[in-house]
Amino acid sequence: ASGSSSQRRSGSLPLGLLGDGQIAAWCLAGLVDSEAAEVRFRERRIEDEGAEAVAEALGKSVQLLDLTGNSIGARGLGAIGRASLPNLKSLVLTKNCLTDKAVQALLAGLSNLSLQSLVLAENQISRSARAIGDFVAKANCLEYLDLHWNFITGDGALGLFEGIGKNLGGEGRLARLDVSWNCLGNTGGKASMGSLSKSLAAESSLVHLDLSYNALGSQECEVLGEGLRDNHSLIGLHMVGN
């Protein structure tokens, strides 16, 4: 009994609970603590059905939702995005094989602009990076955005940095940005780096930027350097592997 109580308080799951059916049954039975501030359902083979059940079971007290290492699609992420989570501060969806369609479904319903940390690392994000940029542009409370190890390039990358520029040029608080291990230099690299360069030219909240392993060539770096020349707010810049 004490173990079950502890799991409820922490928003965790029993070690043997795996897959959509078991997760959904657990949620529908009311065994997810609706007052938990931190909910971590990592590597539980959750797909759409399980994600919909989780979204339904979450309480308004949730501040951290970590769904790392599952396989949630557009239907499940749409449910997560539409869930009423007014106090959510951190959303982690690392290693979910997220497609552009799934990310767009999430962002279409995500109206919580008080989110402080969004982690979408190690997925299959490409064109939907523009939708992420649109969200970041209006998410003035966002401080950390992690998109490392995706397939962001071309128009998606340009849209992402345009949105980030609006955040940094307005009342945004974005401080840490990780877009390492993408494909920024493969297509349209000069245009996307030009957009980022404009944001870096002015003082802003951004203090950490990781562009490592993006196939950025000398031309892209030269464009980026124009914005960095008079920047005195950036503390950490990572460019290894270019």
Side-chain angles (χ1 to χ4, degrees):
S2 61
S4 174
S5 175
S6 176
Q7 286 158 356
R8 285 176 60 89
R9 284 196 301 270
S10 63
S12 63
L13 294 171
L15 292 177
L17 206 61
L18 297 171
D20 264 8
Q22 292 187 34
I23 299 296
W26 179 268
C27 293
L28 292 173
L31 296 175
V32 175
D33 185 2
S34 61
E35 297 183 2
E38 297 184 358
V39 176
R40 294 182 175 88
F41 295 171
R42 300 167 60 97
E43 298 178 351
R44 295 310 181 105
R45 304 178 191 168
I46 298 174
E47 299 181 18
D48 284 335
E49 180 187 354
E52 287 177 321
V54 169
E56 183 69 24
L58 292 173
K60 295 186 177 182
S61 299
V62 174
Q63 297 180 33
L64 164 68
L65 177 58
D66 186 350
L67 296 170
T68 295
N70 292 290
S71 300
I72 305 173
R75 198 178 87 220
L77 276 187
I80 295 293
R82 292 189 300 272
S84 179
L85 305 172
N87 294 303
L88 186 67
K89 303 300 182 188
S90 179
L91 177 60
V92 184
L93 291 163
T94 302
K95 291 183 180 178
N96 263 277
C97 300
L98 299 184
T99 63
D100 288 324
K101 182 179 180 181
V103 171
Q104 287 166 344
L106 169 71
L107 296 176
L110 194 60
S111 59
N112 182 354
L113 299 182
S114 63
L115 199 66
Q116 296 176 358
S117 175
L118 179 60
V119 181
L120 300 172
E122 299 182 54
N123 285 296
Q124 300 172 10
I125 298 169
S126 180
R127 295 186 302 274
S128 61
R130 176 170 285 276
I132 296 172
D134 292 341
F135 174 77
V136 173
K138 56 187 179 182
N140 287 335
C141 293
L142 192 68
E143 299 176 356
Y144 178 50
L145 178 62
D146 186 353
L147 297 170
H148 83 264
W149 213 304
N150 279 286
F151 300 96
I152 300 172
T153 190
D155 183 70
L158 178 59
L160 172 66
F161 291 125
E162 286 175 346
I164 289 172
K166 292 176 182 177
N167 179 289
L168 296 176
E171 299 178 358
R173 305 177 190 171
L174 188 64
R176 294 183 294 153
L177 174 63
D178 187 348
V179 284
S180 61
W181 291 97
N182 277 281
C183 316
L184 299 179
N186 289 6
T187 304
K190 286 186 67 176
S192 59
M193 288 302 99
S195 178
L196 178 58
S197 180
K198 291 178 182 178
S199 301
L200 295 175
E203 298 298 309
S204 71
S205 57
L206 191 68
V207 295
H208 182 97
L209 173 62
D210 195 338
L211 296 169
S212 302
Y213 297 98
N214 267 292
L216 296 174
S218 58
Q219 291 184 330
E220 288 83 9
C221 291
E222 183 176 355
V223 170
L224 186 64
E226 290 295 321
L228 289 169
R229 180 180 294 119
D230 297 318
N231 182 292
H232 301 290
S233 55
L234 197 65
I235 297 174
L237 175 63
H238 300 267
M239 296 288 294
V240 66
N242 287 296

